[in-house]
Amino acid sequence: MTKHIFVTGGVVSSLGKGLTAASMALLLERRGYRVKLQKMDPYINVDPGTMSPYQHGEVYVTIDGAETDLDLGHYERFSGTNCTRNSNYTTGRIYSSVISREREGGYLGKTVQVIPHITDEIKAAISSMDAPDVDIVITEIGGTVGDIESLPFLEAIRQYRQQIGAGNGLFVHITLVPYIKAAGEMKTKPSQQSVGVLRSIGIVPDILICRCEQHMSPEHFEKLALFCNVDRKLVIEEKDVTHSIYEVPLDLAEQELDVYVLEKLNLHVNRQDLGDWKKMVRTLIAPKGGEVDIAVVGKYISLRDSYKSIYESLTHGGIANDVKVNVRMVESEDIEKKGAEKQLSGVQGILVPGGFGGRGIEGKLKAVRYARENGIPFFGICLGMQCAVMEFARNVCGKEGANSVEFDDKTDFPVIDLMEAQKNVKDMGGTMRLGAYPCVLGRDTKAFAAYGNEKISERHRHRYEFNNKYRAEMEARGLVFSGLSPDGHLVEIVELKDHPWFVACQFHPEFQSTPLKAHPLFSAFVGASIKKKKKKEISA
């Protein structure tokens, strides 16, 4: 049967449960086991699709079109396996299913309650990951132990473990061992209290993973083992890494976390090979090709998690080119106020990512123009592609005021229009063009040179598209439509031929990039930025 690992967190949020779960998946996969990951989020939204990036960070889109938590990005980048809509459940989604069933008479007149009906629905969600080709499922419980909203999920995993037996289920609790600077010492009491809360509801952690800023002493290990009722060897230190999150699996492997997990689950400890991962980390820490400066011009810059996958993908592009990528995070509204030259001078590449709403759009358009006119490698993603089209229409085709109907529904030149299938859509959540769609590339293009393949598949999240009414005119003025849907109707990629590297895509390539295999467009973009830097150095 499929084995289950349940990951909980205590003391504070933002402990890195998702990173730890993803690291564990990588280590277990390198032991020869087939692993899937899943996140349970306690908030009442059905999914994060309608939430502001300031509230939740980026929305990660799965291959089957689910709008999910950003931790699923970590899952895929570390494990290399695709997540699906069964990989992310929220309180809202669980309750929606239960209420729908009640309205249909599915409970045969019974009083619907948290126990057993909500907990049964959560257990069904956990079971949805079981399959003949899945050896281990890792389920992360969002939030912090002690939160009211997490209680149904904790009760559900307590029941689930009881039903499948100790040898088939495992509780891993991640906690904080803070360093009190004024006292000059680390404290284990918060972790003890966190475990105490878990034990009060019937969950006793099998493994304790301790987040800390400094190394723990033997006394800390012994105290935590004693008061948390965990074997001394199963108290694992997870100290802040020095360079990159990709060091985390290697630190956990050194402490044989995966060995203890497999032993607890009565699974054979196969040989492990992390050679390629270690090589990747070495390249990331000490690249031989120098550095390159790339600006990300966005409207949610103040919260780094808003563009989490973008930043990670740029790092991957750096690894692929053996260089360090320095990201300059630029608020598009600052460009509106201070000008593109002041905000973007000195960078060797400019990336404009996705987003919604009209705030900061004029700043993005100025960034596009600055890149186009100064021969700076440019990469536009989703809204970034739409901005590239709008800027080209205004400043090359002479269509003053050209816009997207999202921002100006009365514009004389609606070069970006609402998709036909979206015109009768009223609900906001889960109704966009979502998930993976095929795309066909033109052969003599920068896009084809990057991919090396004529047929590709990429993930989307948008309602608006290029207005084909303007295709012939823009093509005549030099805009290349290098990627189209198989029927030739939807424009997926545009680029400029007479430019060092100017490519913009309607889809989100950042969702398919990993540290071991950078996405082709990110790799090509970083490569073009390096060439720009070297050319400038030679001319200087």
Side-chain angles (χ1 to χ4, degrees):
M1 65 183 295
T2 301
K3 308 277 187 173
H4 286 265
I5 300 171
F6 300 104
V7 178
T8 57
V11 184
V12 294
S13 59
S14 301
L15 280 178
K17 295 190 302 295
L19 283 171
T20 303
S23 298
M24 209 181 321
L26 169 66
L27 298 180
L28 294 172
E29 285 180 340
R30 294 308 177 92
R31 295 282 183 184
Y33 291 96
R34 299 163 296 181
V35 183
K36 293 290 184 182
L37 295 109
Q38 180 184 53
K39 173 114 184 249
M40 298 290 178
D41 276 308
Y43 52 76
I44 298 176
N45 303 65
V46 173
D47 59 47
T50 58
M51 296 169 69
S52 165
Y54 289 125
Q55 286 279 313
H56 193 266
E58 75 173 6
V59 173
Y60 191 83
V61 179
T62 60
I63 196 167
D64 60 347
E67 295 175 296
T68 68
D69 185 83
L70 62 83
D71 273 332
L72 272 68
H74 294 312
Y75 297 170
E76 291 198 354
R77 286 188 284 271
F78 279 68
S79 71
T81 59
N82 287 328
C83 292
T84 66
R85 61 184 63 253
N86 287 340
S87 301
N88 195 200
Y89 284 85
T90 67
T91 292
R93 184 176 173 188
I94 295 293
Y95 270 80
S96 293
S97 297
V98 171
I99 291 170
S100 294
R101 191 174 300 118
E102 184 273 332
R103 293 288 83 189
E104 295 166 358
Y107 294 107
L108 303 176
K110 294 179 181 178
T111 300
V112 180
Q113 298 176 298
V114 173
I115 301 173
H117 302 103
I118 296 299
T119 51
D120 282 351
E121 191 70 22
I122 295 170
K123 289 188 289 184
I126 296 169
S127 296
S128 70
M129 301 295 286
D130 290 6
D133 62 345
V134 179
D135 299 314
I136 302 170
V137 173
I138 301 175
T139 300
E140 174 193 348
I141 307 300
T144 305
V145 168
D147 294 344
I148 292 174
E149 56 264 35
S150 297
L151 288 174
F153 291 99
L154 296 174
E155 171 60 19
I157 64 174
R158 184 197 67 78
Q159 294 178 18
Y160 202 94
R161 156 73 175 265
Q162 185 180 37
Q163 291 170 9
I164 63 177
N168 296 312
L170 188 68
F171 291 125
V172 176
H173 188 56
I174 302 172
T175 184
L176 177 68
V177 181
Y179 174 75
I180 309 301
K181 187 176 181 180
E185 58 183 351
M186 299 173 74
K187 294 294 185 181
T188 63
K189 187 63 71 176
S191 297
Q192 295 175 40
Q193 293 176 337
S194 175
V195 171
V197 173
L198 271 179
R199 290 166 66 181
S200 71
I201 59 177
I203 295 176
V204 179
D206 297 288
I207 297 176
L208 195 66
I209 297 180
C210 304
R211 286 298 314 278
C212 49
E213 296 178 14
Q214 301 186 10
H215 286 295
M216 290 163 36
S217 69
E219 179 187 357
H220 294 128
F221 283 97
E222 291 162 7
K223 187 180 288 187
L224 286 165
L226 177 64
F227 290 109
C228 296
N229 198 30
V230 177
D231 287 349
R232 165 64 181 79
K233 68 178 182 179
L234 300 181
V235 178
I236 306 294
E237 179 186 86
E238 193 174 47
K239 182 179 173 294
D240 293 350
V241 292
T242 306
H243 301 284
S244 166
I245 57 174
Y246 300 122
E247 296 175 82
V248 175
L250 301 180
D251 285 353
L252 295 177
E254 284 185 11
Q255 298 177 75
E256 298 189 317
L257 171 63
D258 50 325
V259 174
Y260 299 138
V261 166
L262 292 173
E263 289 175 348
K264 280 282 186 180
L265 293 175
N266 298 321
L267 293 172
H268 188 265
V269 181
N270 303 317
R271 180 179 173 274
Q272 182 191 75
D273 183 6
L274 290 169
D276 57 346
W277 196 270
K278 291 177 180 177
K279 180 181 178 182
M280 176 272 293
V281 170
R282 286 195 299 269
T283 300
L284 174 60
I285 294 173
K288 298 176 182 177
E291 302 181 0
V292 65
D293 298 322
I294 291 176
V296 173
V297 181
K299 54 189 295 184
Y300 314 115
I301 290 296
S302 60
L303 181 65
R304 188 176 179 86
D305 278 353
S306 296
Y307 301 114
K308 185 64 177 175
S309 292
I310 294 286
Y311 298 140
E312 291 302 315
S313 297
L314 286 171
T315 297
H316 305 161
I319 294 169
N321 287 279
D322 206 0
V323 298
K324 179 184 178 183
V325 175
N326 299 316
V327 176
R328 183 189 298 182
M329 296 179 283
V330 180
E331 281 282 1
S332 56
E333 287 179 292
D334 288 343
I335 294 179
E336 294 175 355
K337 299 171 186 174
K338 303 173 185 176
E341 175 70 32
K342 186 171 183 179
Q343 298 300 109
L344 300 174
S345 177
V347 300
Q348 291 88 46
I350 297 172
L351 188 153
V352 176
F356 296 91
R359 181 179 62 81
I361 290 300
E362 293 303 317
K364 290 191 174 191
L365 293 175
K366 289 181 178 180
V368 175
R369 184 173 188 175
Y370 184 82
R372 179 178 60 80
E373 293 182 344
N374 291 280
I376 299 171
F378 171 80
F379 192 7
I381 295 175
C382 196
L383 177 59
M385 187 201 91
Q386 296 173 7
C387 287
V389 169
M390 290 156 56
E391 190 279 328
F392 190 87
R394 291 183 186 184
N395 300 312
V396 177
C397 300
K399 298 186 180 299
E400 186 176 348
N403 216 324
S404 165
V405 296
E406 180 184 4
F407 315 128
D408 181 4
D409 58 5
K410 293 182 173 58
T411 176
D412 292 332
F413 305 108
V415 292
I416 303 296
D417 200 3
L418 187 64
M419 300 182 73
E420 193 64 36
Q422 293 287 321
K423 290 184 177 178
N424 294 318
V425 172
K426 295 181 179 179
D427 291 341
M428 298 299 291
T431 56
M432 285 185 272
R433 185 179 186 232
L434 293 165
Y437 287 89
C439 174
V440 179
L441 305 181
R443 282 195 166 267
D444 186 22
T445 63
K446 293 178 175 67
F448 182 84
Y451 282 96
N453 200 335
E454 187 178 0
K455 295 180 180 179
I456 63 171
S457 176
E458 294 285 359
R459 303 181 199 181
H460 295 69
R461 185 177 182 246
H462 63 106
R463 296 186 192 279
Y464 297 86
E465 64 176 332
F466 177 83
N467 189 341
N468 284 315
K469 175 183 175 182
Y470 300 94
R471 191 191 292 190
E473 182 180 358
M474 289 194 178
E475 195 166 29
R477 298 302 298 269
L479 191 65
V480 178
F481 298 92
S482 55
L484 303 172
S485 58
D487 62 5
H489 180 73
L490 296 176
V491 173
E492 300 281 25
I493 309 176
V494 299
E495 58 184 69
L496 295 177
K497 194 169 186 177
D498 298 324
H499 190 282
W501 203 90
F502 189 107
V503 177
C505 55
Q506 184 59 69
F507 48 81
H508 288 268
E510 69 271 25
F511 294 150
Q512 298 201 100
S513 185
T514 74
L516 294 178
K517 188 178 181 182
H519 188 282
L521 291 180
F522 277 92
S523 181
F525 172 56
V526 173
S529 300
I530 298 166
K531 289 181 181 178
K532 174 69 175 178
K533 181 179 182 180
K534 290 180 178 178
K535 185 176 180 181
K536 188 174 182 179
E537 289 173 345
I538 292 172
S539 62

